[in-house]
Structure formats: structure tokens, C-alpha cells
Amino acid sequence: MSKATTMTTAAGNGIGDNQNSLTAGPRGPVLMADYQLMEKMAHFNRERVPERVVHAKGAGAYGKFTVTHDISKYTCAQIFSKVGNSCETFARFSTVAGELGSPDTARDPRGFAVKFYTADGNWDMVGNNTPVFFIRDALKFSDFIHSQKRDPRSGMRDATMQWDFWSLSPESLHQITTLFSDRGIPKTLRHMNGYGSHTFSLWNAKGERYWVKWHFKTMQGNKTLTQAEANKIAGEDLDHHRRDLFTAIENGDFPKWTVMVQIMPERDAETYAIHPFDVTKVWPHADYPLQEVGVLELNRNPQNYFAEVEQAAFEPGNLPRGMGASPDKMLQARILSYPDAHRYRIGVNYAALEVNKPRIPVQHYHRDGATRFDGNSGSAVNYQPNSFGGPVDVAAYKEPPLRISGDADRYDHRAGNDDYQQAGALYRLMSAEQKRQLIANLVGALQGVPEFIQVRQLKHFYQADPAYGQGVAEGLGIALNKVI
Ligand code: NDP
């Protein structure tokens, strides 16, 4: 047993009694002067920070990323400068729609966020376990999330809201097909892939830019839960996935992912048949093959869940030299919305928290703000330009210029888009058993939804693949002539 140390107040004053309140006589009222009681209750009342609006329920762990293959011709990012380079990482996996106490085995995409503490500053990959997303324009994001969360009147989640929105948003079909497939509920967080989902960029010292898709392939194998298995576990252990990851790491069974990229030269984007900045689409592997880059291993559990997992703040805009974003509309909006959410949720100095701060010195002119808990840059000069040796911008960190064209306008993102081909391709690559599960899961989820919405959604399934539409229609008992 460890030797007990003296308990103190937050100010360091020793505490003589943490069992009994200060009262006027043994049965008398509690005195206002019981500072310790007041401090204890007041702190307790403030223990929770607002939970994330999305991705509230998560699990996190530290690890290591090691570069195994050379991609230095595409990027001058320090981490990729030579094979064998490595850096510490912190990963957080999460469900999307459920609240902090929700079951881990819900059918939902999983957030797959990784912070790479590189020697050139932090690189955050804030992805999902699916390569695509439900919408392609962030103007629809809060509408989409409202439709998946709770009904404003009943306070309950509601299939009609979900399918009303989805059936009116055909760009969601590819992601719906992924979500209701067997991969929609991973067996554990170790048995799922991760994807950057958006197109990002890499650029080299010659100023050449390449578009890139990031893939994290599980080395444990893709394993899934059926809806029935997931329902059973949800009734027994809400924290099933969190527990599995924590226990595996405690036992030295470290999960690993092979990190891979698809690379597209900058100018290909102008002629490639598939819109390369549309997050509802993948790049078929036959067009842009996967190339191995490195290995991600998770090998250390946090010491404190709140400090390290709840306060972890990932930002798709954290991109060191040699890496960049892309014109993907969803990504552009996420570059704003993630840090904005962190400022609201944990405060303006969130980036200085231990789990979030880079492993190299930070030098900027941000000062002050609520709960400035570090030295606030001490007496250093707080404006730029200055004559007193403050940090300066260095041109070598500038991204190469990006060619853009066109008039600023609100372009219809649904016009001229094929939302069916890739959803159909996914359906067709599934085994007979996977197709059976997909259709059964969809039939279950569409139960009780008004028929006009069911029919509107069935038309999408049918357009992706007639057998897909027919299977769900049969399961729902809807005649095919209402769909075709
Ligand atoms: P490929 O046959 O080259 O690749 C198929 C991909 O599908 C593999 O990456 C495989 O992942 C993945 N996959 C298999 N079963 C499922 C499932 N139930 N849910 C989600 N993904 C699954 O084909 P293409 O590249 O031509 O793509 C065909 C379709 O595959 C796409 O329309 C897309 O829906 C899906 N897909 C494509 C990806 C891509 O980046 N090109 C990535 C993921 C899915 P694994 O190797 O881990 O088994």
C-alpha cells in the first residue's frame, strides 16, 4: 500500500476532517464557514464540461506511429523524411450520435481521430471508420445531425426524422449502405479500419502538390457484430468497446493499423471522372492503388479519462509543413468548426493542455483568455513585428499556391452527381450473407416509418442496384411497382 499524504484544500491548507461537516452542535445546522464543504460541493457542481454535440462517447489511448515506406517524394513533412521515423500519437475512437452514457455497440459510424505529435508540430487525422460521409456540403451538417438526434417534442430518437432527411438527401446513400452493412457495428474498436475520408494534400520542397486519401487498415482483421449481438451486449455492458480497448492495452495486446495512402497528382483532379473533393465518394483502388506508408500502434492507456480523453481536442486543420487540406466543402467547414467547438467546450486555451500540446515549443502571440494555466509566455514581447527577438514567420512553411477558378456562387451540390454507382458497387462486393444482413438491418430500421418515406428511400436503393431495392422492399412488404 502506498503511504498516504496529507489531504489539502485547493490552496494547499491541510484538512483535518473530511468525514463530518462543521455544525452548531451535533444535531445543529451546518455553518456557512465550512469552507471545505462549500469548496467540495461547488467543484462537484462544475465537474462536467459540455459533452461534444457529436462523438460524445469515446475511448482513447496513446501509441506510436512508425514510417515503414518512403513517400518523401510527395511531401516534405518531417515525419515522412525517412523510413524508420516515428512519433508519439494519441487516438480517440467514438460513436457519433449517442450521448456520453450511450451504449458502445450502437449502429453508428465510429470517429477515428489520431493526433501525431511530430517534430514539426501536431498532425491531426480526424476521420471515421467509414471512407465516406452522409453529406457533402457542411451547410447541411446541423440539419443532418438534428435528424439523427432527439425529436424536439418527445425527446426520443426517431426513425421517421432520420429517414425523412436521408431519403431527401440521396448523397447519403453510399454511407447508409456502409452503415447498415455488417461493418456498421464493429466487434471492437481494434477490429475496424479508419479513414481520413476527405481528400487532403501533400506537397514537397519543389512546391508540387498531390491529393491524398488516408487509410488505416486494422491488422486485427475486420470483425463485426450482428444487430442481435450488439443489442444483447448493449443490455449488459454499455462500455463494451471502451472496456475492450482499455483491457487489451493493459494486457499488452497492442492493436495496430497499417497506414496507407492513395495519391493523385494535383492536375488529375481537373479531369478525373469522380469529383475528388466529394466526401460521399471513394477513389476506386483500381484508379489510385493503396500504398503502404507506416504502422500505427496503440500501447498506453491514459492515466486520467477526463484530462486526456474528454479534453482531447482534434482539429483537421492541424497540418504540419508538407501537408494541407483540399477544396472539399465539408473539410473546409470542419477546419473552422472543430477549434470553435473546443473553445466553447473546454475553453480558449485548450491547445495548451498536456494531451493537446505539441511535443515541441509553441511560439506565438496569443495571450491571456480564461484559465490561462501555463506561464502565458511570461515577459516575452506580445506583438509582431517587433524589435525584441519575438518569433517570426518563415516562408519555407508556406503552402504552394492553389489554382482555383470559377465565380463565387451557391452551386447546387446535388446537380449532376451520381449518388448511386458507388453505393451499388459496395452492395455488389458484399457476400450473400453480408447482403442478407444489410437488407435485414435496413428493414428493421425502416419499420414504422411512413410509407411515402419508405418508398422514397426504396427508389434510392433500387437505383443503386435493383436487387438491393427489391430486397428491402420485400422485407418491408411494399410492392415493387410502387418503387419503380
Ligand atoms: P475494391 O474491391 O478495390 O475495394 C473494396 C473495398 O471495400 C476494400 O477496401 C474493403 O475493405 C471494403 N469493404 C469490403 N466490405 C465492406 C463493407 N461491408 N463496408 C465497407 N467497406 C467494405 O473496390 P473499389 O476501390 O473499386 O471500391 C468499390 C466499393 O468499395 C466502393 O464503391 C466503396 O463503397 C467500397 N470501398 C472502397 C474504398 C476505396 O477507398 N476505394 C474503401 C472502402 C470501401 P477491406 O480491404 O478492409 O476489407
Side-chain angles (χ1 to χ4, degrees):
M1 237 168 54
S2 61
K3 190 169 168 287
T5 50
T6 302
M7 184 180 173
T8 70
T9 65
N13 306 143
I15 288 178
D17 185 346
N18 189 42
Q19 317 304 321
N20 305 294
S21 300
L22 184 66
T23 53
R27 298 187 175 190
V30 174
L31 300 183
M32 284 273 293
D34 192 346
Y35 172 81
Q36 187 197 338
L37 174 67
M38 303 304 163
E39 183 191 60
K40 202 168 171 180
M41 289 199 308
H43 192 276
F44 181 69
N45 286 347
R46 291 163 180 78
E47 274 185 3
R48 296 290 167 271
V49 295
E51 67 175 40
R52 294 164 170 88
V53 181
V54 285
H55 296 278
K57 175 88 187 280
Y62 294 92
K64 184 178 177 186
F65 171 63
T66 308
V67 177
T68 54
H69 293 72
D70 184 16
I71 56 162
S72 62
K73 67 179 171 195
Y74 304 119
T75 176
C76 53
Q78 172 279 332
I79 184 71
F80 294 113
S81 60
K82 66 175 190 323
V83 170
N85 279 359
S86 66
C87 68
E88 188 189 357
T89 58
F90 180 77
R92 180 177 182 273
F93 307 126
S94 50
T95 49
V96 182
E99 294 85 1
L100 266 174
S102 59
D104 282 350
T105 54
R107 182 171 300 284
D108 210 0
R110 268 41 183 195
F112 193 109
V114 188
K115 194 179 281 293
F116 300 77
Y117 304 95
T118 85
D120 222 356
N122 288 354
W123 165 36
D124 290 0
M125 172 62 58
V126 201
N128 279 332
N129 71 334
T130 61
V132 292
F133 196 61
F134 297 94
I135 53 170
R136 63 168 72 91
D137 189 325
L139 198 54
K140 300 306 330 151
F141 187 74
S142 58
D143 292 314
F144 163 60
I145 295 298
H146 284 173
S147 75
Q148 307 298 305
K149 289 267 194 175
R150 292 175 185 277
D151 175 74
R153 179 166 180 228
S154 68
M156 294 189 276
R157 291 187 69 187
D158 185 84
T160 298
M161 291 166 62
Q162 294 169 9
W163 289 104
D164 191 27
F165 182 89
W166 280 336
S167 63
L168 290 167
S169 309
E171 67 273 22
S172 60
L173 184 66
H174 194 186
Q175 176 76 324
I176 289 172
T177 308
T178 310
L179 178 62
F180 287 90
S181 79
D182 54 335
R183 298 241 180 133
I185 312 179
K187 180 167 191 240
T188 79
L189 299 168
R190 300 176 290 128
H191 293 96
M192 64 181 193
N193 292 340
Y195 302 88
S197 305
H198 303 286
T199 296
F200 289 88
S201 58
L202 296 174
W203 51 276
N204 61 25
K206 287 191 266 176
E208 295 160 337
R209 175 183 283 106
Y210 297 85
W211 304 117
V212 60
K213 293 269 200 199
W214 292 94
H215 301 249
F216 295 72
K217 295 268 192 187
T218 172
M219 288 166 74
Q220 292 65 244
N222 269 296
K223 290 191 185 156
T224 59
L225 294 174
T226 64
Q227 189 67 58
E229 289 168 335
N231 292 348
K232 182 169 181 293
I233 294 169
E236 294 166 351
D237 182 8
L238 292 175
D239 303 323
H240 182 68
H241 283 169
R242 201 186 260 182
R243 192 181 315 284
D244 172 84
L245 183 68
F246 188 88
T247 309
I249 293 174
E250 284 300 279
N251 292 342
D253 180 8
F254 301 143
K256 291 193 185 72
W257 285 262
T258 308
V259 183
M260 305 181 98
V261 286
Q262 289 176 289
I263 304 264
M264 179 190 289
E266 181 172 3
R267 299 299 291 272
D268 278 21
E270 292 164 24
T271 51
Y272 187 44
I274 297 165
H275 183 357
F277 309 126
D278 175 353
V279 72
T280 71
K281 304 276 193 307
V282 296
W283 301 350
H285 296 139
D287 295 347
Y288 295 97
L290 288 171
Q291 303 179 39
E292 212 168 310
V293 173
V295 173
L296 171 69
E297 175 187 90
L298 298 182
N299 55 26
R300 179 163 66 89
N301 279 319
Q303 285 303 307
N304 185 282
Y305 184 86
F306 180 84
E308 294 157 89
V309 186
E310 196 59 11
Q311 294 196 120
F314 299 89
E315 307 177 42
N318 281 351
L319 295 159
R321 176 174 184 262
M323 303 177 133
S326 82
D328 178 331
K329 292 176 197 182
M330 284 292 294
L331 173 58
Q332 295 275 325
R334 291 179 75 210
I335 289 172
L336 165 78
S337 73
Y338 278 67
D340 188 48
H342 305 325
R343 287 180 203 112
Y344 162 69
R345 208 172 68 82
I346 37 183
V348 68
N349 289 307
Y350 68 93
L353 289 166
E354 194 61 32
V355 66
N356 297 325
K357 72 180 191 191
R359 302 311 188 227
I360 56 168
V362 171
Q363 310 191 88
H364 54 53
Y365 295 93
H366 302 322
R367 294 292 187 275
D368 312 344
T371 320
R372 185 82 224 191
F373 52 86
D374 61 4
N376 199 23
S377 300
S379 60
V381 58
N382 64 352
Y383 57 89
Q384 208 248 355
N386 64 69
S387 315
F388 303 104
V392 293
D393 33 321
V394 174
Y397 286 91
K398 258 175 71 174
E399 239 186 274
L402 176 68
R403 276 162 52 101
I404 49 171
S405 62
D407 301 331
D409 203 350
R410 294 187 180 273
Y411 294 93
D412 181 352
H413 68 81
R414 297 201 177 100
N417 247 300
D418 179 355
D419 294 317
Y420 302 104
Q421 197 279 331
Q422 293 201 347
L426 178 57
Y427 174 78
R428 286 183 289 275
L429 71 75
M430 290 180 193
S431 66
E433 170 54 21
Q434 286 176 311
K435 285 178 180 155
R436 193 200 60 74
Q437 279 194 40
L438 169 72
I439 287 170
N441 293 336
L442 285 166
V443 169
L446 275 156
Q447 292 297 341
V449 172
E451 195 185 87
F452 76 95
I453 295 178
Q454 292 177 329
V455 169
R456 192 164 61 203
Q457 185 62 40
L458 285 170
K459 288 176 194 289
H460 297 314
F461 296 141
Y462 190 86
Q463 261 181 273
D465 192 290
Y468 183 9
Q470 190 173 345
V472 186
E474 273 169 15
L476 289 171
I478 293 180
L480 207 54
N481 62 5
K482 288 193 182 165
V483 175
I484 303 170

